Amino acid sequence: MACAYDPRSTGDAPSFSIVNISSEKGRGMVAARSLKAEETVLVESPLVSSQFAWNKSCNYPACDHCLRSLETVAENVARLTKTNSHILPFSEVQDKFCCSKVPCSNSCDVLYCSDACRQIAWNLYHRLLCRGDAFGDYVHPSALLLEAWKSMHYPPETTTIELLSRLVARVRCCESLDKGLEPFQAMCSDIRGEASNDLALKLLGTEFKDRINVLFSLFSQAYEGEDLKEQIFTKEGFTSLLALIARNGQGIGTSPWADYVREVEKLKPLEDPSSQDSKNLDQIIDAVYADMSDKTGLEFINVEGSGLYEIHSRINHSCEPNAEVRFQLGCHTLTVVTLSDIRQGDEICISYLDECLLARSRHSRQKVMKDDYGFVCHCSRCIREKDDPDVTSEDEDEDEMDTE
């Protein structure tokens, strides 16, 4: 039995545990007691996480460890709407999302949201990655690696090479090599050989299939160590790590504006949706979102990154999930929340697909799952729809247009 909680989260832990199981689909998780909808079943901080390279270079300020935004709500709104004209009510709510900007103590350009995050990052990995100001004009291979990665991944990104950098550093900082490698090797256990190559190429894009050698060379120059030579710094080991983040990398999004909206909508004076206060607040929120959409684009409004989560990675996929991942603590700590009642002993499943892909045909969903995750889905919905036509949703759309 396992239940993970972030030490900085508040509130009592749920009175049940999550249980690891073996099934035909591989590792999974089941409920140890009956659950109601909207119950939290897991709160977990990642083994490693990092802000997307382009997200950072486009000046989305975030804690280098937990990805908490380093902007106030007003600063966030002003940057994304490109105006200071929006007057936001409930300043006391805005104040809840203010945080410090704590620099690395070694004079590098990294910032954190608290001294706690600075110390955690230093102990876990940053002491091996920190460049400080000791290098002068020297361009470290890690900078060349990041630029090569950015040349292959334009926004919106889905993952980042920085996860591998922090993975290597975390393993080296661990008290023993075997203990440091254990959680990552478990995640890689079923994506070796051909499946590993396929997932790595999917991550890079087929047009960049020859560039894996460039990335491997730069990665080795930047981070190679004799103690990890066999496990990571071989072509096969590096490809397995790319496959690892392709399959298990979980997208992360944080936003002081979204946190503010969630909190003000909970205020008691606004519980009546017909009240004038509620209508005024809705107008303000709608106006801000409209401006963000017009000036920035809603797909680019969050601090975004990705992370690798040990327990979360054990949760299986379903095309009709009974739980979902949320980021409601304003940082990289994820929560898994039930979407419906779940009976004791039933498997807890999330969707690896977004809402748009979930709405597509069985054939389309299974194609994406095979291409992106290396397996064919046999969830209850896919079994129920097994006799549906084997055409993609795009084909169905074209057929409908032809008959109009």
Side-chain angles (χ1 to χ4, degrees):
M1 295 185 179
C3 195
Y5 281 88
D6 185 276
R8 296 189 303 165
S9 65
T10 58
D12 296 329
S15 58
F16 64 92
S17 298
I18 305 302
V19 183
N20 301 329
I21 61 169
S22 296
S23 67
E24 292 181 358
K25 296 189 292 182
R27 296 178 301 170
M29 303 176 76
V30 298
R33 67 160 174 82
S34 296
L35 308 172
K36 295 293 185 181
E38 291 298 311
E39 283 202 50
T40 297
V41 299
L42 177 68
V43 180
E44 183 181 17
S45 293
L47 293 165
V48 289
S49 67
S50 179
Q51 187 178 4
F52 289 149
W54 281 109
N55 193 265
K56 180 184 294 186
S57 67
C58 291
N59 299 318
Y60 285 67
C63 174
D64 197 62
H65 176 63
C66 78
L67 274 64
R68 188 182 301 277
S69 174
L70 297 180
E71 293 178 309
T72 66
V73 177
E75 289 171 341
N76 183 243
V77 169
R79 178 172 60 83
L80 295 175
T81 62
K82 304 187 187 307
T83 177
N84 290 307
S85 63
H86 293 286
I87 307 301
L88 305 178
F90 306 108
S91 58
E92 69 278 9
V93 176
Q94 295 184 55
D95 292 342
K96 291 174 61 176
F97 303 109
C98 293
C99 62
S100 304
K101 294 181 181 179
V102 179
C104 170
S105 57
N106 201 31
S107 301
C108 73
D109 60 357
V110 164
L111 292 174
Y112 299 98
C113 68
S114 65
D115 189 64
C117 268
R118 182 195 64 78
Q119 193 61 51
I120 292 170
W122 183 262
N123 292 337
L124 284 180
Y125 56 85
H126 188 65
R127 68 177 185 264
L128 295 185
L129 300 178
C130 182
R131 302 304 168 199
D133 55 4
F135 288 88
D137 294 331
Y138 170 68
V139 179
H140 193 272
S142 61
L144 300 177
L145 172 67
L146 198 56
E147 288 305 310
W149 180 263
K150 285 167 64 178
S151 73
M152 303 178 194
H153 290 266
Y154 298 97
E157 296 168 87
T158 56
T159 192
T160 174
I161 198 74
E162 288 290 279
L163 286 181
L164 300 193
S165 301
R166 295 187 181 193
L167 184 159
V168 170
R170 177 168 177 139
V171 171
R172 284 181 172 169
C173 287
C174 197
E175 59 191 44
S176 73
L177 177 62
D178 289 341
K179 184 176 180 180
L181 283 171
E182 184 178 358
F184 303 107
Q185 288 177 326
M187 291 183 192
C188 286
S189 61
D190 60 343
I191 48 174
R192 300 287 183 181
E194 191 75 23
S196 179
N197 286 325
D198 290 346
L199 286 168
L201 290 179
K202 181 69 177 180
L203 177 68
L204 295 176
T206 54
E207 69 271 30
F208 294 113
K209 59 187 296 185
D210 296 330
R211 298 293 297 276
I212 191 171
N213 295 320
V214 175
L215 290 175
F216 175 56
S217 176
L218 291 171
F219 186 75
S220 298
Q221 292 175 46
Y223 302 114
E224 186 170 10
E226 290 302 319
D227 54 343
L228 296 176
K229 181 76 176 180
E230 181 179 346
Q231 293 92 340
I232 293 177
F233 294 103
T234 64
K235 184 70 172 297
E236 180 182 1
F238 181 71
T239 302
S240 293
L241 291 180
L242 287 179
L244 168 66
I245 64 174
R247 181 166 179 177
N248 293 106
Q250 167 65 50
I252 301 168
T254 67
S255 165
W257 164 246
D259 292 339
Y260 166 82
V261 170
R262 184 174 62 247
E263 288 300 311
V264 297
E265 289 183 339
K266 294 178 182 177
L267 296 179
K268 289 183 178 179
L270 304 174
E271 286 181 350
D272 179 5
S274 64
S275 71
Q276 192 58 48
D277 282 344
S278 290
K279 291 178 180 178
N280 291 342
L281 180 64
D282 288 342
Q283 290 175 355
I284 292 171
I285 292 173
D286 290 345
V288 171
Y289 272 123
D291 254 4
M292 287 180 177
S293 179
D294 181 51
K295 303 294 173 43
T296 304
L298 293 181
E299 68 270 36
F300 296 108
I301 67 174
N302 294 341
V303 170
E304 293 187 327
S306 57
L308 294 173
Y309 297 80
E310 184 177 9
I311 299 177
H312 159 267
S313 70
R314 302 174 188 178
I315 307 178
N316 281 320
H317 162 82
S318 172
C319 293
E320 46 185 7
N322 55 17
E324 70 177 7
V325 172
R326 299 176 186 173
F327 290 89
Q328 23 190 56
L329 299 180
C331 62
H332 65 190
T333 300
L334 65 73
T335 61
V336 176
V337 181
T338 58
L339 295 173
S340 59
D341 293 352
I342 301 175
R343 295 174 301 181
Q344 181 177 356
D346 281 356
E347 185 171 11
I348 297 168
C349 294
I350 59 176
S351 172
Y352 298 175
L353 306 176
D354 62 27
E355 289 184 10
C356 291
L357 287 173
L358 271 184
R360 291 197 171 277
S361 68
R362 175 183 182 272
H363 186 70
S364 291
R365 299 193 310 272
Q366 295 214 330
K367 183 178 186 304
V368 172
M369 294 302 301
K370 181 65 175 177
D371 290 346
D372 289 2
Y373 297 96
F375 66 88
V376 176
C377 180
H378 295 292
C379 72
S380 57
R381 180 182 171 192
C382 286
I383 293 174
R384 190 169 64 248
E385 297 174 355
K386 64 183 178 63
D387 294 328
D388 287 1
D390 282 339
V391 294
T392 64
S393 295
E394 289 85 351
D395 292 335
E396 293 169 343
D397 293 342
E398 290 176 3
D399 289 342
E400 290 177 3
M401 290 178 64
D402 291 340
T403 60
E404 290 179 356

